[in-house]
Amino acid sequence: MSVQAIAWSPSGAVRIIDQRALPDARIERDLESADAVADAIRTLQLRGAPLIGIAAAMGLVAGTRELRAAPRDAFLARLDRLVALLAATRPTAVNLRWALDRMSRAAQEVAGAGGEGTAIWERLRAVATAIWEEDRAMCRRIGEAGLPLVPDGTTVLTHCNAGALATGGIGTALAPIYLAHDAGRRVQVFVDETRPVLQGSRLTAWELTQAGIACTVIADAVAGSLMRQAAVDVVIVGADRIAANGDFANKIGTYPLAVLAWHHGVPFYCAAPSSTIDAALPDGDGIPIEQRAPEEVKTIAGRAVAPAAAAAFNPAFDVTPARYVTGYVTDCGLVKPPFGADP
Ligand code: MRU
């Protein structure tokens, strides 16, 4: 059983695992408002493209609980403000905007049919729960589509965290690994530590070891020499946004990994649900790349690792051109671009 990154609390708050504390401590937090969810997304208490979409949808529900008795117009005006607040938290993962648009459309539909606050809120809760449940099902289908990539004895290399901690289910890049392990296949996973925030060593290694899957954490710079020694059978990574031509944004460091894999003839797969496809973008040049605080680079666990006077450049994501990608593992199977709204 993999970990569950998000749930409703009994009182209707959004219950999350505070991922900043992992792997030292597993701390659950109940987020009572949309502001608390927005803050949690911004500060990486929860992260990963599908999970931030799910959390934002659930945050809208938590944030409008008190408005159930409100007239329709007041409800919708507040909802619009909360949608704008959540949409502004992180720019790169399209899942966030996708989930918020779906919630807004649902509210408009109910209001258009004459529904008042209670009816709109109930619909929002149903749609947020559906977004979560659909993501869980998409993760499983991604795992099934990717299972042939992980025969018995495979060594996989992955980057960042595209597992249960990043989704509503068993993850995207990690889903085929979980299913291969469940099927009794022996799998080894090299986990890039993923500087600067260490999602690989802190999160991926944590959830894999929780599930009893053998993994080895490596500094990001090690991947090339492992490939040169033919010690990696396949690379599988997640995505934050996939353009129509297959270019995709993922955690910084994915692009050099793809170039290394291509150079060494190692198959390189991108695993993602349909909600990560931005069919309106022709290619990766238009993907907005989040810039994060220099302190993430200049410190590790609160300790300075660079002089205070040095500047730091900290893009959170990079774009990998489609030509380096062997295939896309999606809820619609193993596919190739171009992509429409569904792969
Ligand atoms: O900054 P993060 O931790 O949100 O970045 C996450 C990633 O880049 C993941 O690989 C991506 O969101 C896919 S998660 C299934």
Side-chain angles (χ1 to χ4, degrees):
M1 219 6 227
S2 62
V3 291
Q4 184 170 302
I6 199 161
W8 293 114
S9 80
S11 72
V14 184
R15 180 163 291 175
I16 62 158
I17 299 174
D18 186 341
Q19 299 190 19
R20 297 171 305 181
L22 290 170
D24 291 342
R26 187 188 189 289
I27 298 169
E28 284 188 350
R29 283 164 60 84
D30 286 351
L31 309 174
E32 301 283 350
S33 65
D35 290 87
V37 172
D39 184 58
I41 294 174
R42 231 180 275 114
T43 57
L44 307 184
Q45 293 172 48
L46 65 106
R47 27 64 53 205
L51 187 64
I52 63 179
I54 297 164
M58 291 169 79
L60 286 180
V61 178
T64 50
R65 270 183 298 178
E66 308 307 330
L67 286 175
R68 273 173 280 180
R72 179 187 318 141
D73 289 348
F75 190 106
L76 291 179
R78 173 101 179 114
L79 184 69
D80 280 353
R81 282 199 296 279
L82 297 182
V83 166
L85 169 84
L86 286 156
T89 52
R90 298 193 74 190
T92 302
V94 74
N95 310 62
L96 179 62
R97 193 70 249 188
W98 172 87
L100 291 170
D101 284 350
R102 194 165 154 187
M103 293 289 282
S104 294
R105 277 199 309 273
Q108 290 296 345
E109 251 172 53
V110 179
E116 298 288 347
T118 306
I120 303 173
W121 185 84
E122 277 166 5
R123 180 71 171 277
L124 287 178
R125 188 176 155 95
V127 173
T129 304
I131 288 173
W132 174 24
E133 282 168 359
E134 286 166 22
D135 188 69
R136 187 182 310 144
M138 286 195 284
C139 287
R140 181 149 285 274
R141 291 204 295 276
I142 290 169
E144 286 160 2
L147 196 52
L149 306 177
V150 191
D152 187 39
T154 302
T155 299
V156 183
L157 189 147
T158 192
H159 189 69
C160 193
N161 173 262
L165 285 168
T167 64
I170 58 171
T172 58
L174 298 193
I177 296 171
Y178 280 121
L179 294 193
H181 176 74
D182 288 352
R185 299 181 191 172
R186 287 158 303 158
V187 191
Q188 284 279 343
V189 187
F190 281 116
V191 179
D192 276 357
E193 64 172 351
T194 318
R195 272 283 284 152
V197 179
L198 302 173
Q199 289 95 332
S201 57
R202 292 190 307 103
L203 309 178
T204 297
W206 182 77
E207 64 167 90
L208 289 176
T209 50
Q210 294 284 308
I213 298 176
C215 67
T216 304
V217 175
I218 53 172
D220 299 333
V222 175
S225 81
L226 281 176
M227 289 187 204
R228 186 161 172 269
Q229 294 162 43
V232 177
D233 296 314
V234 61
V235 178
I236 312 178
V237 298
D240 287 80
R241 191 186 294 236
I242 304 175
N245 75 339
D247 294 353
F248 74 100
N250 191 47
K251 178 55 53 195
I252 190 76
T254 302
Y255 168 51
L257 200 57
V259 175
L260 281 170
W262 176 81
H263 179 79
H264 291 96
V266 177
F268 180 95
Y269 287 91
C270 168
S274 323
S275 52
T276 301
I277 293 173
D278 186 350
L281 270 190
D283 59 45
D285 290 348
I287 300 179
I289 300 295
E290 177 183 6
Q291 300 292 325
R292 292 191 62 87
E295 284 65 37
E296 288 183 350
V297 176
K298 292 174 65 181
T299 58
I300 295 181
R303 184 174 176 275
V305 292
F313 174 51
N314 188 15
F317 302 96
D318 58 25
V319 174
T320 298
R323 67 176 172 281
Y324 296 118
V325 184
T326 311
Y328 299 78
V329 191
T330 73
D331 47 294
C332 299
L334 263 179
V335 296
K336 293 212 183 254
F339 300 125
D342 289 318

